[in-house]
Amino acid sequence: MSDIIQLLPDSVANQIAAGEVIQRPASVIKELVENAVDAGAGTINVLVVDAGRTSIQVIDDGKGMSETDARLSFERHATSKIRKAEDLFALHTMGFRGEALASIAAVAQVELNTRTRESELGTHISISGSKVTGQELVSCSVGSNFSVENIFYNVPARRKFLKSNTTELNNILTAFERIALVYPDINFTFHSNGVELFNLKKGSLRQRIVDVMGKKLNQDILPVDVETTVCKITGFVGKPESSRKKCAQQFFFVNGRYMKHAYFHKAVVTAFERLIPSGEQVPYFIYFDVNAGDIDVNIHPTKTEIKFENEQIVWQILLAAIKDSIGRFNDVSAIDFDTEGKPDIPVFDPSKKGTSMPKIDFDPQYNPFRDCSKPSHVNPAHTSNIESWEHLYGSIDKQGGNAGWISQNGHDTLFNTGDDVAGSQPGVVEKSPLHYQYKGRYIMTAVKSGLMIIDQYRANVRIFYEKYIDQMSGKNSSSQQMLFPEMIQFSTSECVALRKLLPELESLGFELTSMGGTSYSINAIPVGLDDVDIIKLLKNILDEFVEQTSTISNGINSSIALQLARSAAIPYGQVLSNEEMESIVNKLFACSNVNYTPDGKSIICILKQQDIERLFH
């Protein structure tokens, strides 16, 4: 039998490795920018075209490479970061495996111009699919200039499954931000299709966070700083009032490297228990400085999963540091009432004379069970029902006993279910024109088959959702101008999503005008959103869009309409009149789906007549 085991060619081995290291254009940005940081660059420029599909270029002013190093850098496991296995436990660089450039060159067309400070001429190398197509001397500046074009050109299946340009650009920005947030002493610029998205000047850590995430964040973060023999923890954590349900900016860094750590995230969540609403999260930017021998970064090719030797101790230190930061720097508690503009109420001082105890005027002899005379201080109109209560029960016999009670505006009213009107819901043949609101949450009405219960908030969500879907279809959009336009500040990644969503937002009635940079002016809003926090609403819409993976226009429209419907719907606890409840019921039955909200929650349930009778057996 002939031998069947053989060594794979280097080009095939590189493509296999690229499947783990280079997953999308964002992976190329991460690897090249990290190499620029390791090269000691003071300025790093990143330029992408078509979200990295067409071209990615990373330019740095680091120490550059010699002609031999430039050629060797594209070989697998060729690295300047480590020399022996023990070096893995004393890493002070971002990269160390020597797989990144070989993987990039295996799935793209790469050109490199590089020169060291000691050389008069630099080196130009071009590689396509792991094959060197050219190498020559060239005149260039000190540092390295990598140009990566047509990523995955030789792996059609991988290129086919890339997401939309908006999604891929958001992933690139996320990878870029994770590096820029660690090195505030390096200048960064980022251009997409010739448009400058970032121009980050070196400065303090707080300034870098504000430049990347938006100026508004500067008012919402508290400093964290603690140093122990185990580790040093610095950075910033959000105030309780800065919490949000989705897309909170949350970052952990250890020794200058971004990491994901669910266990440490739980420490932050624990520190904010009972300070923020359930389901919401605060932003944080936490930097760990630990002994390199106490962590292991060689776990996953992306190097975002890191093991700590003293994990539980670090958890306790992190929890204590955040609690201390909240206690020392958050001057006003999150549960304090807003006292701005309120009248000054003097504190009672018992030493001052002239203060008398308030008196209560009442008749101690009054007893309603033995004396029916009306006291002088009681309004005669209030006792009219007591004197003529018999008429409330006079119609029971005439209505054949098929009567019920409905509470309207604090008064009980008798109605007959025999006078039900036809309804449009299958299985609900007749409904009463009178309704009862239970605990400000549910609308209850008698129907032929039993008792119908409607969740008033969810019903409103369904009604408004279909209204906004119709508006985005161009049927009946309407807006109202704001008397005083509001200014809203976005982060750079939010601006990318906003540009994609602007047509849909304008079809709903929003009018947003760019004021330069990442600032926008809200000049008009859809009708019916008068009492809604528009800034928070727009942020939620953008968060929802960034999180969703669907690129279909209908998916975007549905997400926007649902967010608007949730904001415009009447809240739980709002007291409704019978006319308002009747309007909600009629509009709900006119919807295409009366049973469920757009996100699949039940709106209506029927308590059948036989089930009610069974309760009294």
Side-chain angles (χ1 to χ4, degrees):
M1 181 177 178
S2 61
D3 297 332
I4 60 174
I5 297 178
Q6 60 182 349
L7 289 174
L8 289 173
D10 287 343
S11 59
V12 178
N14 288 339
Q15 282 196 16
I16 294 173
E20 292 184 341
V21 180
I22 307 301
Q23 301 172 351
R24 59 198 333 151
S27 304
V28 177
I29 298 290
K30 172 185 177 295
E31 300 294 346
L32 294 182
V33 175
E34 286 182 350
N35 283 345
V37 171
D38 289 340
T43 300
I44 301 175
N45 303 316
V46 180
L47 303 93
V48 298
V49 178
D50 296 334
R53 294 172 188 265
T54 302
S55 172
I56 297 172
Q57 190 173 12
V58 177
I59 307 170
D60 68 74
D61 60 353
K63 57 187 177 183
M65 290 181 282
S66 65
E67 182 179 359
T68 302
D69 286 345
R71 175 65 184 84
L72 193 60
S73 65
F74 289 96
E75 298 294 330
R76 283 193 71 196
H77 307 306
T79 178
S80 62
K81 314 296 174 62
I82 61 174
R83 291 289 182 268
K84 53 186 182 296
E86 289 76 10
D87 294 341
L88 288 172
F89 303 101
L91 288 171
H92 298 283
T93 56
M94 300 292 287
F96 54 88
R97 288 196 181 96
E99 291 182 320
L101 292 182
S103 298
I104 294 171
V107 295
Q109 298 167 340
V110 183
E111 290 188 0
L112 167 63
N113 291 332
T114 182
R115 179 170 76 90
T116 61
R117 198 171 300 276
E118 296 78 15
S119 303
E120 294 184 359
L121 292 176
T123 303
H124 171 81
I125 294 179
S126 57
I127 300 179
S128 180
S130 296
K131 296 180 180 179
V132 178
T133 58
Q135 180 172 346
E136 59 185 355
L137 296 177
V138 69
S139 177
C140 61
S141 58
V142 175
S144 299
N145 183 342
F146 283 92
S147 177
V148 181
E149 297 182 350
N150 300 325
I151 186 173
F152 299 131
Y153 80 100
N154 56 350
V155 191
R158 180 66 67 87
R159 187 175 178 90
K160 177 182 177 181
F161 286 102
L162 289 177
K163 304 297 183 181
S164 67
N165 283 355
T166 302
T167 302
E168 294 299 340
L169 182 57
N170 279 327
N171 289 323
I172 289 174
L173 289 173
T174 298
F176 177 82
E177 290 169 354
R178 290 173 178 176
I179 301 175
L181 288 171
V182 184
Y183 298 98
D185 55 339
I186 298 178
N187 298 312
F188 288 92
T189 65
F190 187 98
H191 292 76
S192 174
N193 296 337
V195 178
E196 183 179 85
L197 300 184
F198 283 109
N199 190 346
L200 307 174
K201 303 297 183 183
K202 63 180 180 180
S204 65
L205 178 59
R206 188 183 189 113
Q207 186 61 47
R208 175 57 56 87
I209 292 174
V210 171
D211 290 343
V212 173
M213 297 299 170
K215 296 179 181 178
K216 185 179 182 301
L217 192 64
N218 191 35
Q219 308 168 2
D220 297 332
I221 53 178
L222 306 171
V224 177
D225 190 1
V226 63
E227 185 171 3
T228 68
T229 56
V230 177
C231 67
K232 179 181 180 181
I233 300 177
T234 58
F236 299 89
V237 66
K239 297 178 181 178
E241 54 266 31
S242 68
S243 64
R244 53 198 297 185
K245 289 186 177 180
K246 295 182 179 179
C247 291
Q249 295 100 347
Q250 299 177 330
F251 298 87
F252 283 126
F253 304 95
V254 56
N255 294 356
R257 187 190 305 276
Y258 171 80
M259 71 168 180
K260 297 178 181 178
H261 210 294
Y263 187 51
F264 291 164
H265 172 75
K266 186 178 179 182
V268 180
V269 173
T270 303
F272 281 92
E273 280 184 352
R274 301 182 182 179
L275 294 178
I276 61 176
S278 176
E280 295 192 2
Q281 297 178 348
V282 296
Y284 58 76
F285 307 85
I286 305 297
Y287 299 77
F288 297 87
D289 187 4
V290 302
N291 185 1
D294 293 338
I295 60 174
D296 184 4
V297 301
N298 190 26
I299 296 175
H300 193 272
T302 59
K303 300 186 282 286
T304 58
E305 298 178 12
I306 298 176
K307 293 293 185 181
F308 284 72
E309 181 179 348
N310 303 311
E311 199 171 64
Q312 292 186 348
I313 298 176
V314 176
W315 192 93
Q316 295 289 347
I317 296 172
L318 176 61
L319 175 64
I322 294 177
K323 284 187 174 182
D324 178 67
S325 178
I326 297 171
R328 287 192 297 125
F329 296 102
N330 198 18
D331 295 333
V332 181
S333 173
I335 62 173
D336 281 351
F337 294 103
D338 184 10
T339 58
E340 184 177 356
K342 301 298 186 295
D344 184 20
I345 302 176
V347 180
F348 174 70
D349 186 359
S351 63
K352 291 185 178 180
K353 296 182 179 181
T355 303
S356 58
M357 183 70 68
K359 297 181 180 180
I360 301 175
D361 186 16
F362 65 96
D363 183 2
Q365 303 299 324
Y366 174 68
N367 188 332
F369 297 100
R370 69 181 183 184
D371 186 1
C372 294
S373 61
K374 294 185 282 291
S376 59
H377 63 278
V378 176
N379 190 334
H382 294 169
T383 63
S384 59
N385 288 337
I386 299 176
E387 297 176 349
S388 56
W389 60 269
E390 293 88 349
H391 79 279
L392 295 176
Y393 302 94
S395 59
I396 291 181
D397 294 336
K398 298 178 182 179
Q399 300 187 31
N402 189 23
W405 288 96
I406 290 295
S407 178
Q408 293 297 325
N409 300 326
H411 301 286
D412 289 334
T413 305
L414 191 69
F415 79 97
N416 185 0
T417 56
D419 296 332
D420 292 349
V421 297
S424 60
Q425 169 68 2
V428 183
V429 181
E430 298 176 349
K431 70 177 180 64
S432 169
L434 298 176
H435 312 279
Y436 172 73
Q437 186 182 24
Y438 178 69
K439 292 190 175 181
R441 294 179 63 94
Y442 305 104
I443 298 173
M444 306 175 69
T445 186
V447 294
K448 187 174 182 179
S449 57
L451 182 65
M452 179 172 65
I453 306 173
I454 301 174
D455 188 300
Q456 68 183 43
Y457 172 76
R458 295 180 182 178
N460 254 251
V461 169
R462 167 54 69 178
I463 293 168
F464 279 108
Y465 171 80
E466 299 203 358
K467 170 187 172 183
Y468 291 128
I469 285 292
D470 289 343
Q471 289 186 9
M472 282 187 284
S473 301
K475 295 180 180 179
N476 55 349
S477 61
S478 57
S479 63
Q480 61 184 27
Q481 294 291 320
M482 298 188 69
L483 184 60
F484 300 102
E486 290 194 47
M487 294 294 297
I488 181 170
Q489 182 85 24
F490 296 106
S491 66
T492 302
S493 57
E494 287 174 337
C495 280
V496 172
L498 180 64
R499 295 188 188 100
K500 177 74 174 179
L501 293 179
L502 267 180
E504 284 78 11
L505 293 174
E506 289 173 353
S507 67
L508 282 168
F510 283 101
E511 183 182 322
L512 281 77
T513 304
S514 175
M515 304 302 292
T518 59
S519 298
Y520 281 79
S521 172
I522 307 174
N523 301 320
I525 60 175
V527 173
L529 298 181
D530 299 331
D531 299 326
V532 175
D533 187 341
I534 298 300
I535 293 179
K536 185 175 182 180
L537 171 62
L538 286 173
K539 293 276 190 180
N540 289 338
I541 291 175
L542 291 176
D543 292 346
E544 189 78 20
F545 172 70
V546 171
E547 281 196 349
Q548 71 177 8
T549 57
S550 173
T551 58
I552 303 175
S553 178
N554 289 339
I556 298 174
N557 292 348
S558 176
S559 175
I560 296 175
L562 181 56
Q563 285 291 338
L564 285 170
R566 289 170 176 168
S567 299
I570 57 173
Y572 288 125
Q574 180 171 327
V575 179
L576 303 175
S577 65
N578 186 70
E579 291 76 12
E580 291 171 328
M581 288 187 282
E582 179 72 11
S583 175
I584 291 174
V585 173
N586 291 338
K587 289 180 179 178
L588 176 64
F589 287 146
C591 293
S592 60
N593 187 336
V594 302
N595 294 312
Y596 299 100
T597 61
D599 50 349
K601 296 179 180 179
S602 297
I603 299 175
I604 293 177
C605 72
I606 302 291
L607 188 58
K608 295 183 179 180
Q609 182 68 28
Q610 53 266 35
D611 293 336
I612 297 176
E613 293 174 353
R614 192 179 300 115
L615 294 174
F616 292 94
H617 284 172

